Every structure is written in C-alpha cells, then in structure tokens.
Amino acid sequence: MENQEESHRKLTLEQRSRSVPYRQPFVSAVLWTLVFYLAVIGFFTVIATFFLVPSEMRRTAAYLIAAMLPACGLLWTIAYFKRRKATCPLCKCTPFLDNLAHKHQKAFKVRPLNHGTTAIFNVVLAQRWRCMYCGTPFDILKTKK
C-alpha cells in the first residue's frame, strides 16, 4: 500500500513539461534580465574599484559610477516590462515576476532568491521553469507537437 502511495506521489509531483506556444517573450525577458544582472555586477565592481585604485584614478571611477547608475536603472525598467510581457500560457500570470499572490504548493525557489529570479535562472541553466502560480512545468525547447 505504501509503494502505491509513494508512486502516486511521484507521478503527481513529476508531471511532464508543457511546451510554450510563443517563446520569444520568455527568451527576451531572460536575456534583458541577465543584462541587468551583469550591469549590477559591473556597478558593484566599479564601486569596489573606486576604493581600491590610487587617488589620481578615482575621478575616472567616479565618472563610471555616475554612468552606471542610470544605465542600471534603464536596464531594470526594460527587464521589468519584458518580464511582465512574458505570461504563463496556462494561467496568464507573470512567472518571472514575484507578487504577493498565493504560490502553488509545487512552486520552487532557491532560498536567498525569490520565485521569479529562480525561474529566470532555471531557464538559463535548464531551459525550463515551473509557474509559481499554477504549478505547471514548462520547457522552452519543447515543440508544440
């Protein structure tokens, strides 16, 4: 009896991934978000450089800090709207943006990150994600057939 319950539990948790009918919004959202994350890493690198370089080079680092701050803001805005455009094909929610809505019990996240950022990294690393609102797994590479 326990083996039947255990196998039923495995089948319900490991459902097959669905295909995405239009993958361009998802790919665009992931790419713009990664560009934003790289810009943030660059911004913190420039700040660290500001404190580590000799005093005659600090002016250049200060100009780079002044240029990187609005660039990060612009990239965040673009990435935000791209992530809002990528909606779940099944429930029509935004799987790459976290909001205060109730999450599905099968939703997955890595502890220091939220559900949306975890979904972005899942797409980058495995080309699949699970919608945090309906719990359905999706695969970017799977065809419609």
Side-chain angles (χ1 to χ4, degrees), residues 20 22-37 75-87 96 120 123-124 129 140:
V20 180
Y22 303 104
R23 65 179 79 143
Q24 195 275 334
F26 296 99
V27 172
S28 176
V30 168
L31 289 178
W32 279 103
T33 304
L34 288 178
V35 169
F36 165 67
Y37 290 154
L75 289 172
W76 177 85
T77 305
I78 294 171
Y80 176 78
F81 285 114
K82 292 291 184 178
R83 287 181 290 165
R84 281 197 52 107
K85 199 173 200 180
T87 57
F96 295 151
I120 293 282
V123 171
V124 170
W129 82 94
I140 290 281

Side-chain angles (χ1 to χ4, degrees), residues 70-121:
C72 285
L74 177 69
L75 289 172
W76 177 85
T77 305
I78 294 171
Y80 176 78
F81 285 114
K82 292 291 184 178
R83 287 181 290 165
R84 281 197 52 107
K85 199 173 200 180
T87 57
C88 174
L90 195 61
C91 67
K92 303 299 182 212
C93 289
T94 55
F96 295 151
L97 281 178
D98 231 0
N99 61 21
L100 297 177
H102 182 70
K103 308 299 186 273
H104 194 272
Q105 70 182 17
K106 294 180 186 176
F108 171 73
K109 75 173 186 173
V110 176
R111 252 313 137 184
L113 307 175
N114 61 18
H115 287 88
T117 306
T118 301
I120 293 282
F121 286 130

